[in-house]
Amino acid sequence: MTNAELSTSQQTVDNNNLPLLVAEDIIKIYKTGKIETQALRGVSFKVYPSEKLFLIGPSGSGKTTLVSIIAGMNKPTSGKVFWKYLTKDITRSSLEEIIKARRRFAGVIFQDSKLLLHLTVKENIELAGYYAKIKPSVVKEQTEFLLRFLGIWEKRNKKENTLSGGEKKRAAIATTLITNPKILIGDEPTGDLDALTSESILDLFERINKELGIAICVVTHSQQVASRADRILELRDGIIIGQHSSEIQLRKLEKSRLLEIDRQNRLSIPTNIIQNLNNPKHFSIISQKGKIVLEPIFEPNRFKNNNQIITCSMCGKMVTDDSKFCNYCGSAITARSEKNE
Ligand SMILES: Nc1ncnc2c1ncn2[C@@H]1O[C@H](COP(=O)(O)OP(=O)(O)O)[C@@H](O)[C@H]1O
Ligand SMILES: [Mg+2]
């Protein structure tokens, strides 16, 4: 799918379908002693029914934090998360309400998703069904279906310690699918597997999406996976900087990237472009024939129209010398003599 098709298809999706999941202005600040880490700085996105959405981004960009928040396993510092069929913002719901709603809404699978060691594969899947208060006859039928669908029928009476990495993963996926969720949320679910096994599990995600109609929202580093996505969101330093189509090359992100202006009107300029321009810190911005032109300025103290930067005598912030009031503290600008030049 080309970028143009991607944006058109998104518009169509927007018009025809209510989203399954909505994340609005998610901010997450972790406090460790006196140190604050802003892991997410205002992230908004939606996942639509049956969509295959993947999240990419360098280590530390906030991917794990984001998926744990949309899965209702971590509370944001601010922002809202809505799940279809639950009118309430889940960030304001009690743990009990979230656990109850999540059983029917989302299957969550992490790299270290584990089975209960003393139970067989079949018993693990059935137990997850009973916890979700599904009728025993339905649990039995659904367990048999999943064991076959996920290719672990032969392993149904085995315990976890006798299974291969891929089989463990299939069994863990089965325990999340027994409740017939609408969406599968995952954080690098194949990160601990070898390339071949990982590939087979990712094929399975594809089948889960296509044949069971379950939406996918998964963090990945895999080129093969990303190439099968409907949409890929790129996270960097705690914000979504762009979207990609399935034509993505993870090593050349600029080729498929549609830069995204977020709900706070922020646009993140890719580092390599800034570097190619010799790292300017300021740009003039002009709207020209339907385009936005950013021109680097290397003299930070002088704007194009020859306004100079002066210091507000009240708050000390820098403003242009034609300002009547300080943009930051609102006090009248009188200190014309305090030029920074
Ligand atoms: N529990 C935590 N306490 C403090 N800082 C954290 C915690 N979890 C993550 N962080 C920090 O938040 C940022 C984003 O982390 P994370 O969501 O794990 O990113 P990613 O999954 O993209 O690598 C990082 O700077 C990380 O160090
Ligand atoms: Mg992570």
Side-chain angles (χ1 to χ4, degrees), residues 21-30 37-45 55 62-83 89-93 98 102 105-106 108 110 185-187 217 219 235 238:
L21 184 150
V22 178
E24 263 178 33
D25 293 329
I26 306 293
I27 292 178
K28 177 68 182 180
I29 301 168
Y30 291 109
T37 309
Q38 208 170 357
L40 297 172
R41 298 188 293 129
V43 171
S44 304
F45 71 103
L55 297 165
K63 304 180 298 295
T64 296
T65 304
L66 184 58
V67 290
S68 66
I69 288 173
I70 61 165
M73 295 172 142
N74 188 351
K75 290 259 184 215
T77 308
S78 70
K80 296 175 183 169
V81 176
F82 295 98
W83 290 346
D89 166 14
I90 67 151
T91 69
R92 296 181 178 263
S93 303
I98 292 175
R102 187 170 49 220
F105 178 73
V108 184
F110 291 114
I185 298 174
D187 185 18
C217 178
V219 172
L235 209 64

Side-chain angles (χ1 to χ4, degrees), residues 190-209:
T190 61
D192 54 343
L193 302 177
D194 64 82
L196 213 62
T197 314
S198 162
E199 190 51 21
S200 73
I201 297 295
L202 295 166
D203 284 341
L204 212 49
F205 274 77
E206 180 103 354
R207 285 187 53 218
I208 290 169
N209 175 259

Side-chain angles (χ1 to χ4, degrees), residues 59-255:
S59 174
S61 55
K63 304 180 298 295
T64 296
T65 304
L66 184 58
V67 290
S68 66
I69 288 173
I70 61 165
M73 295 172 142
N74 188 351
K75 290 259 184 215
T77 308
S78 70
K80 296 175 183 169
V81 176
F82 295 98
W83 290 346
K84 201 173 179 181
Y85 314 115
L86 190 75
T87 42
K88 217 169 159 187
D89 166 14
I90 67 151
T91 69
R92 296 181 178 263
S93 303
S94 67
L95 191 59
E96 259 190 344
E97 285 173 309
I98 292 175
I99 290 175
K100 201 167 159 222
R102 187 170 49 220
R103 280 183 191 140
R104 298 297 176 130
F105 178 73
V108 184
I109 181 128
F110 291 114
Q111 204 176 97
D112 57 357
S113 290
K114 291 252 179 336
L115 301 176
L116 293 173
L117 293 177
H118 59 287
L119 298 181
T120 64
V121 169
K122 187 159 166 274
E123 288 164 345
N124 263 284
I125 305 170
E126 287 173 343
L127 187 68
Y130 297 139
Y131 268 135
K133 299 196 171 54
I134 300 171
K135 266 200 340 211
S137 59
V138 178
V139 170
K140 193 167 175 291
E141 196 182 315
Q142 183 74 352
T143 301
E144 289 194 3
F145 166 75
L146 287 171
L147 284 165
R148 290 182 208 277
F149 183 83
L150 298 171
I152 42 172
W153 175 254
E154 305 298 323
K155 304 288 172 184
R156 64 192 180 284
N157 295 322
K158 300 271 187 250
K159 293 188 179 163
E160 197 196 61
N161 58 358
T162 65
L163 301 179
S164 70
E167 288 160 355
K168 283 181 201 168
K169 196 66 69 175
R170 285 164 194 260
I173 293 173
T175 63
T176 73
L177 294 185
I178 185 77
T179 57
N180 201 10
K182 306 285 172 278
I183 182 168
L184 198 56
I185 298 174
D187 185 18
E188 304 191 41
T190 61
D192 54 343
L193 302 177
D194 64 82
L196 213 62
T197 314
S198 162
E199 190 51 21
S200 73
I201 297 295
L202 295 166
D203 284 341
L204 212 49
F205 274 77
E206 180 103 354
R207 285 187 53 218
I208 290 169
N209 175 259
K210 264 215 184 85
E211 295 171 34
L212 307 182
I214 297 175
I216 305 278
C217 178
V218 165
V219 172
T220 188
H221 287 294
S222 157
Q223 174 63 53
Q224 288 94 326
V225 189
S227 304
R228 298 170 186 165
D230 292 324
R231 199 158 56 107
I232 300 153
L233 299 180
E234 183 182 355
L235 209 64
R236 206 158 275 217
D237 298 330
I239 61 171
I240 289 175
I241 72 153
Q243 277 197 42
H244 299 263
S245 65
S246 55
E247 287 169 8
I248 190 170
Q249 290 292 323
L250 287 179
R251 288 173 192 277
K252 290 183 187 162
L253 291 174
E254 63 275 14
K255 290 212 160 165

Side-chain angles (χ1 to χ4, degrees), residues 265-293:
N265 273 349
R266 292 174 303 191
L267 181 72
S268 178
I269 302 177
T271 319
N272 58 331
I273 293 185
I274 309 248
Q275 280 167 351
N276 291 346
L277 294 171
N278 287 330
N279 299 311
K281 286 274 178 268
H282 298 82
F283 290 83
S284 70
I285 178 164
I286 313 163
S287 161
Q288 205 175 62
K289 295 181 188 157
K291 293 183 178 174
I292 291 174
V293 180

